Amino acid sequence: MSHIIAPSILSADFGNLSRDIGMINNSEADWFHVDIMDGVFVPNISFGFPVMQVLKKLANKYLDVHLMIVDPDRYITKFAETGATGLTVHYEACTHLHRTLQAIKAAGMKAGVALNPHTPVSLLSDIATDIDMVCIMSVNPGFGGQSFIENTYRKIEQLDALRKQSGSNLLIEIDGGVNTDNARKLIDAGADILVAGNTVFSASDPSAMITVLKNV
Ligand code: DX5
Ligand code: ZN
């Protein structure tokens, strides 16, 4: 399988959101990455259900929703109703992660777990076969346009080993600071999905940049 490119709409121009959604629809991107921030789990607030409704209406690709919120269980049904294909919760925000993942799947979505940069991959060893995707945060969550944390390569290799050892089919997503310099190396280390916000939307031709990332 060729790797998946998931542009993050956090870096889109919200004054021209339908244009930017159309650009992604017509590009070689595979998914939309949708960052939901509550101002509590992370020191920033992004957007919520009104934007989800717009995406549900206009986006014609997989909606990869990344919840950077406390108590995500409260909103699982609502994200399913507003079009999320996959729902990712943070390991650090879930006391009963196994239960949360089952609830996400019962609502008809793929279940993802995100790990902050300080959270070791080994904490997922007893739950690996219950997870559809692990999002390794390669920046501290909260903002687009931050610098990539180099320790990420080591975590990808550890997670790749863990999934092989456990027989899990989980996909590995990398989120934060992905660019044309590190994309190939991330794939070679074992990543399946690359999220890219700033790299795509600060490019003079965002669609051409998606093609570059897809073909690294
Ligand atoms: C960060 C978000 C990312 C962000 C990535 O908290 O989870 O998805 O949009 O943006 P870039 O690619 O600009 O680092
Ligand atoms: Zn994200």
Side-chain angles (χ1 to χ4, degrees):
M1 174 187 96
S2 151
H3 62 274
I4 286 168
I5 298 297
S8 170
I9 63 144
L10 183 67
S11 295
D13 175 357
F14 281 78
N16 290 291
L17 188 55
S18 63
R19 178 201 66 190
D20 285 356
I21 292 170
M23 180 278 292
I24 295 173
N25 281 342
N26 295 321
S27 75
E28 286 189 55
D30 303 276
W31 291 4
F32 284 78
H33 185 80
V34 186
D35 288 310
I36 308 289
M37 305 179 184
D38 67 354
V40 179
F41 183 72
V42 287
N44 196 11
I45 297 174
S46 58
F47 49 77
F49 298 115
V51 171
M52 283 299 301
Q53 294 286 5
V54 171
L55 286 162
K56 185 182 182 184
K57 196 168 124 202
L58 299 179
N60 63 15
K61 297 180 178 180
Y62 186 112
L63 293 186
D64 170 35
V65 178
H66 176 195
L67 298 185
M68 285 159 274
I69 66 174
V70 296
D71 206 1
D73 301 69
R74 290 171 64 191
Y75 300 104
I76 290 171
T77 310
K78 185 83 175 166
F79 279 104
E81 285 166 6
T82 53
T85 320
L87 196 64
T88 297
V89 294
H90 264 264
Y91 178 89
E92 303 82 8
C94 295
T95 310
H96 301 287
L97 183 58
H98 182 272
R99 180 186 290 153
T100 302
L101 295 175
Q102 305 314 319
I104 293 171
K105 290 189 214 173
M109 298 174 287
K110 296 283 185 189
V113 178
L115 300 178
N116 276 339
H118 73 276
T119 303
V121 155
S122 58
L123 288 172
L124 299 177
S125 62
D126 287 318
I127 207 172
T129 52
D130 297 291
I131 304 175
D132 294 310
M133 181 187 87
V134 174
C135 173
I136 298 180
M137 291 306 302
S138 38
V139 298
N140 285 295
F143 303 93
Q146 303 182 81
S147 315
F148 179 82
I149 296 172
E150 294 290 324
N151 185 52
T152 303
Y153 298 111
R154 210 163 63 92
K155 290 178 86 165
I156 298 172
E157 283 158 12
Q158 289 167 349
L159 185 55
D160 192 32
L162 173 62
R163 70 176 162 181
K164 282 175 182 144
Q165 194 188 318
S166 65
S168 167
N169 293 320
L170 65 84
L171 297 176
I172 301 177
E173 175 176 75
I174 308 305
D175 188 10
V178 171
N179 57 40
T180 52
D181 293 331
N182 57 26
R184 183 71 251 166
K185 216 172 140 194
L186 291 165
I187 301 300
D188 288 346
D192 305 293
I193 304 148
L194 302 180
V195 174
N198 187 55
T199 294
V200 166
F201 286 98
S202 70
S204 55
D205 183 342
S207 181
M209 178 54 74
I210 290 168
T211 300
V212 169
L213 291 170
K214 184 73 186 169
N215 294 289
V216 286

